[in-house]
Amino acid sequence: KTLLGTDNRAVVLLDTAAGSAVTLPAATGSGKKYMFVVTTVTTSSGTQTISTAPTTDVFIGAVFGGRVDSGNAVLAFAAASNSNKITLDHAAKGGVSKGEYLVVEDVAAGIWFVSGFLTATGAAFATPFSNV
């Protein structure tokens, strides 16, 4: 799904067992905001992705995460300066529990601010941010 500016303040459900791919519109500093909520846990091979539209847009901010299978550690993952994709991989990068969420806001030309909370399984929790 490609979001449009008219989708402002939309709650986007990540609700497909095989995974979902969402592309944000270009960031212009409009203040538009979108919330993504995991309502269906993907299969083990499914992924949820949120990407910026042009290659010049990036994410700033951080998401918090906790492991659901052992320990009580809560970690924070900050977006790198070139992060333009978020991937929930049904394992170490989140996407394993209903109710996980991400909020993105268009704060400046080329910049999406992101915050949220994810859960993961396995020995390591990995950043959901990448550059593609």
Side-chain angles (χ1 to χ4, degrees):
K1 174 177 178 116
T2 299
L3 294 176
L4 306 172
T6 55
D7 295 320
N8 183 32
R9 305 260 180 230
V11 175
V12 179
L13 303 180
L14 301 176
D15 61 356
T16 306
S20 304
V22 180
T23 302
L24 298 168
T28 62
S30 69
K32 291 182 176 156
K33 187 183 287 190
Y34 308 97
M35 177 182 233
F36 299 90
V37 180
V38 174
T39 58
T40 299
V41 176
T42 60
T43 60
S44 60
S45 61
T47 59
Q48 314 278 12
T49 61
I50 302 166
S51 302
T52 62
T55 57
T56 56
D57 284 10
V58 295
F59 291 108
I60 64 169
V63 297
F64 289 90
R67 288 182 47 205
V68 296
D69 54 356
S70 64
N72 294 317
V74 175
L75 302 171
F77 296 101
S81 63
N82 65 348
S83 296
N84 61 6
K85 185 175 184 178
I86 299 169
T87 301
L88 310 182
D89 68 352
H90 186 80
K93 296 180 181 180
V96 299
S97 298
K98 292 179 182 180
E100 294 176 39
Y101 70 93
L102 297 162
V103 177
V104 298
E105 185 171 357
D106 177 1
V107 296
I111 300 176
W112 285 96
F113 171 76
V114 62
S115 62
F117 190 83
L118 305 173
T119 58
T121 61
F125 202 155
T127 182
F129 296 106
S130 63
N131 174 266
V132 291

